[in-house]
Amino acid sequence: MTDTTRPDRGTPLIPLPHGAARLLTTVGAVATIASTMLAWTWTAEFPGDLTVTAYPAGLQLLTLTGGILTLLYALTLWDVRGLRWLNPGRTTAPVFLTALAAFAVTWYTVLAIAIELGGLANLEPGGYVAAVASLLPVIGALALPRPGDTWKSYFAKADDIPRPAPLPAWAERVAITLALALGLVVFTYGISTPDDEYGETFSGFGLLVVFSAWALFSAGLTDRFSALNARHKGFATSMAFLAAAIFPFTQTEDHNANIGVNILIFATVALGLNIVVGLTGLLDLGYVAFLGVGAYAAALVSGSEYSRFSGTQLPFWGAVLVGMGASLVFGVLIGAPTLRLRGDYLAIVTLGFGEIFRIAVNNLDGSSGPDITNGPNGIANIPDLEMFGFNFGDPHDIGSFTLGRFANYFLLMLIFTAIVVLVFTRAADSRIGRSWVAIREDETAATAMGINGFRVKLIAFALGAALAGLAGTVSAHVSYSVVPTPYQFAGAAPPNSAFLLAAVVLGGMGTVSGPLLGASMLYLIPEKLQFLKNYELLAFGLALVLLMRFRPEGIIANRRRQLEFHETGQLDVPEQKTLPEDPAVTKAGA
């Protein structure tokens, strides 16, 4: 039997009657959920304590989540009325991807138990049940009608997803709020995962998030959410920042707030680089130097005893203006003689500037050069910022919540991020922003149309440098010290120029949320997977290769760039219909 509701679907990879395939997928999802109530191992040495019956914990919770998602999407194939919105195109791709998510987490856990504890003998019967149960929905999904003509259709979005039914404005705002609340829960869980020896919990979390997000994309829900955001742009942006502001109140450990504030610093710098790379198309390989200029300028006027100007301590806004101003000046000084270059030559010059900055601050120690930056030792003991009597280094009680030092800086950096987002969006939508895009697409054509290419590029370079200096000011006070080591092209951990550029490309060039997401991923993943050590860059490189192969426009794509990277069907000239000839016209022409 075939799926008569969607006759355009391809032949299943596994020959089974359609009804049996749906039943196998549904029963397998229920069995996967039930398996999380059993003990998977006999010892609590494996992270999460998977020895308790009827009490899912650790990676079992992730398998439980994957099983529930699989069950929900399996039920959409039974045409359950209340779940139609989950799979509007009635495609089997999200069913397969959610089943793959539960399968990946379960089998990863089973194999990790066997490897780390020394063999399959360390598995309880519940572990075997979970392994078999999670395999059933995958088999059932492959026995369902294929979403398209090739195997790639299992990972693609259907082309014929119907338009959503119109909703009242209040209902759309509720949907946006619920989606952002879910995003906050997911991020909070990810950042709060325990620091296991081999990162087992976070690895399972990553597998679940990747395949589940892929399933939502294939079902067309991400496109619908993007459309909602476009219709309620101001409301969606406000709710996103409100969700971020709630994050410190969900944490009991200041360490997680420390990760959060560093993610915001990294993300803000990436957003500034997005002006240079994403909007203007200038390949800047030394951008992290502007972050260092802002950090060192703020540290010199912070009142630190190790500063060359130890007697000078500017107030909060003074330090911010000094950091931004110094980066702005350096951006103009470096950009003025170099922005007449293009392509690889410009990239080489910016790479050289980044290395010159790091070497210069390393040598300004009083022996190799003037005593300004204290050389390799840097500027230490930078005091905490204070504004209107509010010291960011002291804990503060808000109701029953206590915000520690890093939580205070997180909220401060969130305000700065909002400012940077506002500057980026206003600049991108302005006349100068359209000039940047024109320069990026074709500088020769833009110049021929009257755009002063050098001036436009210099403005982008200077503005990006100033935004990096703003983040550098906060970075210096958060870390208590500034040293030359982080400000290089590539290193073991962000921020460095390679990771900043990767965050822009990974997230999506030319967008606001893309670099923010890319920076969050590139900072959080190395933080949680420290066991990779020397293999971290290898794993990072493989991930970038896969992303560039399957989604070169980035995770959150700019519409124009998405059309550039996926030309099939976009640039085809529609077939022209030939009108019947008029005999009178034909005779006259003859």
Side-chain angles (χ1 to χ4, degrees):
M1 180 184 294
T2 59
D3 186 2
T4 57
T5 61
R6 301 308 301 261
D8 56 326
R9 299 313 188 204
T11 305
L13 294 181
I14 298 177
L16 277 179
H18 179 65
R22 286 195 304 180
L23 183 61
L24 180 61
T25 305
T26 306
V27 171
V30 174
T32 302
I33 295 172
S35 69
T36 61
M37 303 297 169
L38 304 175
W40 287 11
T41 184
W42 63 274
T43 175
E45 292 183 8
F46 189 80
D49 191 6
L50 311 184
T51 63
V52 182
T53 302
Y55 188 81
L59 287 165
Q60 288 177 326
L61 289 174
L62 301 177
T63 297
L64 176 63
T65 304
I68 293 174
L69 289 175
T70 305
L71 178 61
L72 291 175
Y73 271 102
L75 291 176
T76 62
L77 301 181
W78 294 91
D79 202 21
V80 177
R81 183 177 299 274
L83 297 178
R84 288 178 181 175
W85 63 273
L86 274 176
N87 193 3
R90 294 289 305 283
T91 174
T92 57
V95 181
F96 171 74
L97 288 169
T98 51
L100 197 60
F103 172 81
V105 174
T106 304
W107 279 68
Y108 167 77
T109 306
V110 169
L111 293 176
I113 292 173
I115 294 172
E116 293 181 23
L117 301 183
L120 293 174
N122 293 283
L123 285 172
E124 287 289 305
Y128 293 102
V129 172
V132 175
S134 64
L135 181 61
L136 296 180
V138 177
I139 297 175
L142 293 176
L144 291 168
R146 193 166 50 192
D149 296 331
T150 65
W151 64 269
K152 294 181 180 179
S153 60
Y154 283 107
F155 302 93
K157 182 181 63 175
D159 297 328
D160 52 356
I161 297 176
R163 290 179 177 271
L167 294 174
W170 66 266
E172 293 183 340
R173 291 190 175 94
V174 169
I176 293 173
T177 304
L178 293 177
L180 292 174
L182 178 61
L184 175 62
V185 171
V186 171
F187 179 77
T188 301
Y189 183 89
I191 204 172
S192 302
T193 53
D195 296 327
D196 305 330
E197 183 179 0
Y198 297 105
E200 297 91 343
T201 305
F202 187 80
S203 298
F205 169 78
L207 291 172
L208 178 65
V209 169
V210 167
F211 286 113
S212 299
W214 209 331
L216 297 179
F217 165 77
S218 66
L221 294 185
T222 54
D223 287 348
R224 291 192 171 187
F225 181 70
S226 298
L228 288 179
N229 282 342
R231 287 198 293 271
H232 306 277
K233 190 173 182 180
F235 177 80
T237 303
S238 301
M239 293 305 298
F241 278 101
L242 177 60
I246 294 174
F247 166 74
F249 297 93
T250 65
Q251 302 301 307
T252 56
E253 297 183 10
D254 215 25
H255 172 68
N256 294 335
N258 182 24
I259 297 176
V261 68
N262 282 286
I263 287 176
L264 282 181
I265 292 173
F266 188 28
T268 302
V269 180
L271 197 57
L273 178 61
N274 197 24
I275 294 177
V276 180
V277 176
L279 293 181
T280 318
L282 306 176
L283 184 56
D284 189 348
L285 300 181
Y287 186 77
V288 75
F290 296 122
L291 175 67
V293 170
Y296 267 98
L300 288 172
V301 297
S302 64
S304 169
E305 58 189 270
Y306 295 95
S307 169
R308 179 68 176 82
F309 312 104
S310 56
T312 303
Q313 183 174 5
L314 295 182
F316 168 73
W317 291 111
V320 170
L321 292 176
V322 167
M324 292 183 64
S327 296
L328 176 65
V329 169
F330 271 84
V332 172
L333 292 178
I334 299 301
T338 60
L339 287 179
R340 300 185 187 277
L341 301 173
R342 298 187 187 182
D344 299 337
Y345 300 101
L346 176 63
I348 293 172
V349 170
T350 56
L351 176 62
F353 163 65
E355 291 301 303
I356 289 172
F357 169 77
R358 182 179 60 83
I359 295 172
V361 296
N362 202 46
N363 290 335
L364 297 178
D365 57 354
S367 58
S368 303
D371 184 13
I372 298 178
T373 64
N374 206 24
N377 296 324
I379 302 174
N381 289 350
I382 298 176
D384 286 303
L385 289 172
E386 187 172 347
M387 180 173 58
F388 304 123
F390 184 93
N391 192 308
F392 287 87
D394 297 333
H396 297 85
D397 294 330
I398 299 180
S400 59
F401 298 96
T402 300
L403 297 181
R405 177 177 183 270
F406 294 116
N408 296 331
Y409 278 110
F410 178 89
L411 296 176
L412 173 66
M413 196 62 219
L414 185 63
I415 296 175
F416 283 161
T417 303
I419 294 174
V420 173
V421 168
L422 180 63
V423 170
F424 180 91
T425 53
R426 293 299 184 186
D429 295 336
S430 67
R431 181 178 180 180
I432 190 69
R434 293 192 293 272
S435 300
W436 289 338
V437 174
I439 291 290
R440 183 192 69 193
E441 298 300 325
D442 192 329
E443 184 173 351
T444 303
T447 304
M449 295 300 294
I451 296 176
N452 189 331
F454 172 75
R455 181 176 66 87
V456 168
K457 291 191 292 185
L458 185 61
I459 292 174
F461 213 71
L463 180 59
L467 297 181
L470 172 64
T473 301
V474 180
S475 175
H477 291 83
V478 169
S479 59
Y480 280 132
S481 63
V482 180
V483 293
T485 308
Y487 307 110
Q488 52 188 335
F489 172 70
N496 55 64
S497 292
F499 271 76
L500 288 170
L501 184 61
V504 175
V505 176
L506 174 69
M509 291 190 292
T511 64
V512 174
S513 52
L516 299 178
L517 177 61
S520 301
M521 292 174 58
L522 291 183
Y523 193 94
L524 185 60
I525 292 175
E527 178 71 24
K528 292 295 182 178
L529 300 182
Q530 295 183 4
F531 72 96
L532 290 176
K533 297 180 181 178
N534 296 332
Y535 298 99
E536 179 182 314
L537 291 179
L538 174 63
F540 173 62
L542 290 175
L544 281 182
V545 169
L546 292 174
L547 181 75
M548 293 299 101
R549 170 60 184 85
F550 293 103
R551 194 167 176 82
E553 68 273 18
I555 297 176
I556 301 177
N558 177 273
R559 180 62 177 169
R560 181 185 289 110
R561 297 190 64 84
Q562 192 171 23
L563 294 178
E564 291 175 1
F565 283 112
H566 300 279
E567 295 182 357
T568 303
Q570 304 296 341
L571 301 182
D572 295 343
V573 179
E575 182 181 354
Q576 299 293 329
K577 294 183 179 180
T578 304
L579 297 176
E581 294 184 355
D582 186 346
V585 175
T586 304
K587 182 177 180 180

